[in-house]
Tab-separated table of all heavy atoms in Angstrom:
chain	number	residue	atom	x	y	z
P	82	VAL	N	87.930	104.040	84.306
P	82	VAL	CA	87.560	105.214	83.512
P	82	VAL	C	87.899	104.997	82.045
P	82	VAL	O	87.101	105.308	81.150
P	82	VAL	CB	88.257	106.484	84.063
P	82	VAL	CG1	88.111	107.653	83.117
P	82	VAL	CG2	87.690	106.834	85.420
P	83	VAL	N	89.068	104.444	81.762
P	83	VAL	CA	89.454	104.190	80.366
P	83	VAL	C	88.505	103.179	79.743
P	83	VAL	O	88.064	103.346	78.602
P	83	VAL	CB	90.925	103.716	80.292
P	83	VAL	CG1	91.255	103.166	78.921
P	83	VAL	CG2	91.854	104.862	80.628
P	84	TYR	N	88.172	102.128	80.458
P	84	TYR	CA	87.237	101.129	79.926
P	84	TYR	C	85.866	101.736	79.687
P	84	TYR	O	85.222	101.464	78.675
P	84	TYR	CB	87.134	99.941	80.873
P	84	TYR	CG	86.243	98.848	80.345
P	84	TYR	CD1	86.698	97.977	79.362
P	84	TYR	CD2	84.944	98.697	80.819
P	84	TYR	CE1	85.879	96.981	78.859
P	84	TYR	CE2	84.126	97.707	80.325
P	84	TYR	CZ	84.589	96.848	79.346
P	84	TYR	OH	83.774	95.878	78.848
P	85	PHE	N	85.395	102.581	80.616
P	85	PHE	CA	84.092	103.229	80.451
P	85	PHE	C	84.093	104.160	79.236
P	85	PHE	O	83.128	104.185	78.472
P	85	PHE	CB	83.727	104.012	81.714
P	85	PHE	CG	82.451	104.787	81.585
P	85	PHE	CD1	81.226	104.137	81.643
P	85	PHE	CD2	82.476	106.157	81.400
P	85	PHE	CE1	80.043	104.848	81.518
P	85	PHE	CE2	81.295	106.875	81.271
P	85	PHE	CZ	80.081	106.224	81.326
P	86	LEU	N	85.166	104.912	79.046
P	86	LEU	CA	85.232	105.818	77.901
P	86	LEU	C	85.341	105.067	76.577
P	86	LEU	O	84.845	105.536	75.549
P	86	LEU	CB	86.435	106.756	78.041
P	86	LEU	CG	86.339	107.831	79.110
P	86	LEU	CD1	87.648	108.597	79.198
P	86	LEU	CD2	85.191	108.782	78.814
P	87	ALA	N	85.987	103.907	76.584
P	87	ALA	CA	86.228	103.190	75.341
P	87	ALA	C	85.102	102.240	74.962
P	87	ALA	O	85.035	101.809	73.815
P	87	ALA	CB	87.527	102.396	75.444
P	88	SER	N	84.238	101.902	75.889
P	88	SER	CA	83.198	100.919	75.569
P	88	SER	C	81.943	101.613	75.069
P	88	SER	O	81.275	102.315	75.815
P	88	SER	CB	82.884	100.059	76.788
P	88	SER	OG	82.402	100.862	77.833
P	89	PRO	N	81.629	101.407	73.806
P	89	PRO	CA	80.387	101.982	73.267
P	89	PRO	C	79.181	101.158	73.709
P	89	PRO	O	79.322	100.054	74.234
P	89	PRO	CB	80.588	101.903	71.755
P	89	PRO	CG	81.526	100.771	71.566
P	89	PRO	CD	82.405	100.745	72.791
P	90	ARG	N	78.036	101.677	73.484
P	90	ARG	CA	76.818	101.026	73.957
P	90	ARG	C	76.438	99.796	73.114
P	90	ARG	O	75.974	98.812	73.628
P	90	ARG	CB	75.644	102.010	73.938
P	90	ARG	CG	75.871	103.183	74.845
P	90	ARG	CD	75.667	102.755	76.278
P	90	ARG	NE	75.861	103.899	77.141
P	90	ARG	CZ	76.562	103.874	78.238
P	90	ARG	NH1	77.162	102.783	78.607
P	90	ARG	NH2	76.690	104.936	78.980
P	91	HIS	N	76.603	99.854	71.796
P	91	HIS	CA	76.055	98.801	70.944
P	91	HIS	C	77.107	98.043	70.146
P	91	HIS	O	76.760	97.164	69.385
P	91	HIS	CB	75.032	99.398	69.971
P	91	HIS	CG	73.923	100.106	70.681
P	91	HIS	ND1	72.973	99.442	71.429
P	91	HIS	CD2	73.624	101.418	70.786
P	91	HIS	CE1	72.132	100.315	71.942
P	91	HIS	NE2	72.506	101.523	71.578
P	92	ARG	N	78.367	98.386	70.254
P	92	ARG	CA	79.400	97.705	69.479
P	92	ARG	C	80.399	97.069	70.428
P	92	ARG	O	80.375	97.294	71.618
P	92	ARG	CB	80.129	98.698	68.565
P	92	ARG	CG	79.225	99.311	67.507
P	92	ARG	CD	79.991	100.190	66.574
P	92	ARG	NE	80.632	101.268	67.339
P	92	ARG	CZ	81.660	101.970	66.904
P	92	ARG	NH1	82.179	101.712	65.738
P	92	ARG	NH2	82.180	102.923	67.618
P	93	GLY	N	81.310	96.280	69.845
P	93	GLY	CA	82.361	95.664	70.642
P	93	GLY	C	83.413	96.689	71.046
P	93	GLY	O	83.427	97.827	70.589
P	94	LEU	N	84.325	96.263	71.885
P	94	LEU	CA	85.384	97.132	72.384
P	94	LEU	C	86.501	97.202	71.350
P	94	LEU	O	87.088	96.187	70.993
P	94	LEU	CB	85.913	96.578	73.712
P	94	LEU	CG	86.991	97.383	74.412
P	94	LEU	CD1	86.429	98.729	74.848
P	94	LEU	CD2	87.492	96.625	75.608
P	95	SER	N	86.809	98.376	70.865
P	95	SER	CA	87.853	98.568	69.871
P	95	SER	C	89.171	98.892	70.573
P	95	SER	O	89.216	99.742	71.462
P	95	SER	CB	87.465	99.712	68.935
P	95	SER	OG	88.561	100.083	68.125
P	96	THR	N	90.244	98.229	70.163
P	96	THR	CA	91.539	98.499	70.785
P	96	THR	C	92.038	99.890	70.449
P	96	THR	O	92.708	100.517	71.270
P	96	THR	CB	92.586	97.464	70.349
P	96	THR	OG1	92.696	97.454	68.934
P	96	THR	CG2	92.215	96.082	70.839
P	97	HIS	N	91.704	100.385	69.267
P	97	HIS	CA	92.136	101.735	68.902
P	97	HIS	C	91.477	102.787	69.790
P	97	HIS	O	92.130	103.716	70.259
P	97	HIS	CB	91.838	102.017	67.430
P	97	HIS	CG	92.526	101.092	66.488
P	97	HIS	ND1	93.895	100.984	66.428
P	97	HIS	CD2	92.040	100.226	65.583
P	97	HIS	CE1	94.225	100.092	65.514
P	97	HIS	NE2	93.109	99.615	64.984
P	98	VAL	N	90.192	102.630	70.030
P	98	VAL	CA	89.480	103.560	70.892
P	98	VAL	C	89.972	103.429	72.327
P	98	VAL	O	90.123	104.421	73.050
P	98	VAL	CB	87.956	103.332	70.796
P	98	VAL	CG1	87.198	104.205	71.784
P	98	VAL	CG2	87.476	103.591	69.383
P	99	LEU	N	90.270	102.210	72.744
P	99	LEU	CA	90.788	101.985	74.086
P	99	LEU	C	92.131	102.687	74.278
P	99	LEU	O	92.365	103.338	75.295
P	99	LEU	CB	90.928	100.482	74.343
P	99	LEU	CG	91.304	100.062	75.740
P	99	LEU	CD1	90.124	100.272	76.676
P	99	LEU	CD2	91.723	98.616	75.757
Side-chain angles (χ1 to χ4, degrees):
V82 169
V83 168
Y84 183 78
F85 176 76
L86 289 175
S88 61
R90 298 284 181 225
H91 303 291
R92 296 184 301 160
L94 182 65
S95 169
T96 57
H97 299 300
V98 175
L99 187 72

